[in-house]
Amino acid sequence: MLLQAEREQVVEYGKAMIERGLTVGTFGNLSVYNEKENLFAISPSGMDYFKTEPADVVVMTPDGEKVDGDRKPSSEVDMHRIFYQKRPGIRSVVHTHSRFATTLACLGLGIPPLHYLIAYAGREVPCTPYVQFGTYELAQCALDTMGESYACLLGNHGLLACGGNISYTMDVAEQIEFCAELCYRARAVGEPKLLKDDEIGVVLESFKSYRQK
């Protein structure tokens, strides 16, 4: 099976998205890129994550050509492939509808540096304007808004995360959802005290050696 390992990861982490409360039903999507083959495996459109098998996962080129799999790929395929085309080092993309991140996205609010774990994504998590789902325009908007960071909110939609492997990308999605909840709760009481740019810079540097190799 073409890209078997990557397809198995899509199945495994698709279930994890549900188990970690990062999305509901068949919504959200994820992909894993194989740089050597210049192909990526992406979740199929509208399938129950717990009924998805590796053979259901679709294999695509970064140019959008389907090369293996009988299923229809996620409607957000453009939002995955654009990162593999234009962000060197990105090998996984995860899109969730996690509740607090989506709540802030529906308010048009990004997440400021109110907690050091924001550094999983960068110095802050910006929010895009609303753009119709499943379009190349949304993909380009997400890429532009995220810049060199690893997450952004999609206006009136959800959360997008990326990273060098699927494990890290899922961590980004989970930690940014945690920060989104903190932001929501803090703003319900008052204005959160934000970390300074140099304080976040120290955390960004320390995170380079935080995870196991």
Side-chain angles (χ1 to χ4, degrees):
M1 182 188 297
L2 192 60
L3 262 56
Q4 181 168 348
E6 289 81 3
R7 284 167 136 165
E8 289 174 353
Q9 287 181 322
V10 169
V11 170
E12 175 188 354
Y13 283 93
K15 295 174 183 176
M17 282 205 307
I18 299 289
E19 292 168 341
R20 299 183 191 184
L22 296 176
T23 198
V24 296
T26 63
F27 293 97
N29 37 77
L30 68 162
S31 67
V32 180
Y33 176 61
N34 183 311
E35 186 176 25
K36 181 179 179 181
E37 300 292 338
N38 195 29
L39 299 170
F40 66 96
I42 187 168
S43 52
S45 179
M47 280 194 72
D48 186 322
Y49 287 106
F50 287 92
K51 294 181 179 178
T52 301
E53 300 290 340
D56 296 313
V57 177
V58 184
V59 177
M60 311 279 296
T61 71
D63 291 329
E65 178 187 357
K66 184 166 76 170
V67 297
D68 199 20
D70 296 327
R71 301 291 188 180
K72 179 181 177 182
S74 167
S75 61
E76 300 291 6
V77 64
D78 286 340
M79 201 162 59
H80 292 251
R81 70 185 188 86
I82 197 170
F83 281 85
Y84 302 137
Q85 286 179 319
K86 300 186 178 183
R87 282 280 303 270
I90 297 301
R91 295 182 180 86
S92 180
V93 175
V94 171
H95 167 47
T96 76
H97 290 176
S98 49
R99 286 178 173 83
F100 285 95
T102 302
T103 297
L104 295 181
C106 289
L107 292 167
L109 298 174
I111 308 173
L114 78 168
H115 192 281
Y116 76 89
L117 284 175
I118 201 79
Y120 254 83
R123 295 181 182 273
E124 63 179 350
V125 178
C127 182
T128 76
Y130 174 73
V131 182
Q132 172 68 29
F133 80 91
T135 62
Y136 191 81
E137 289 74 18
L138 176 59
Q140 186 66 59
C141 186
L143 180 75
D144 293 342
T145 299
M146 195 182 300
E148 295 302 312
S149 297
Y150 295 97
C152 70
L153 302 184
L154 305 173
N156 302 90
H157 188 158
L159 168 68
L160 186 69
C162 62
N165 58 65
I166 184 63
S167 174
Y168 183 80
T169 304
M170 282 291 289
D171 277 353
V172 172
E174 195 164 27
Q175 298 306 328
I176 297 310
E177 171 62 8
F178 170 72
C179 290
E181 181 174 358
L182 292 180
C183 185
Y184 175 87
R185 294 185 184 278
R187 288 175 66 98
V189 177
E191 283 298 319
K193 180 181 178 181
L194 303 183
L195 297 174
K196 297 175 183 177
D197 192 62
D198 61 328
E199 292 172 324
I200 287 293
V202 172
V203 180
L204 286 167
E205 189 63 29
S206 68
F207 272 6
K208 291 179 181 179
S209 59
Y210 171 70
R211 289 169 60 89
Q212 298 290 334
K213 295 293 185 182

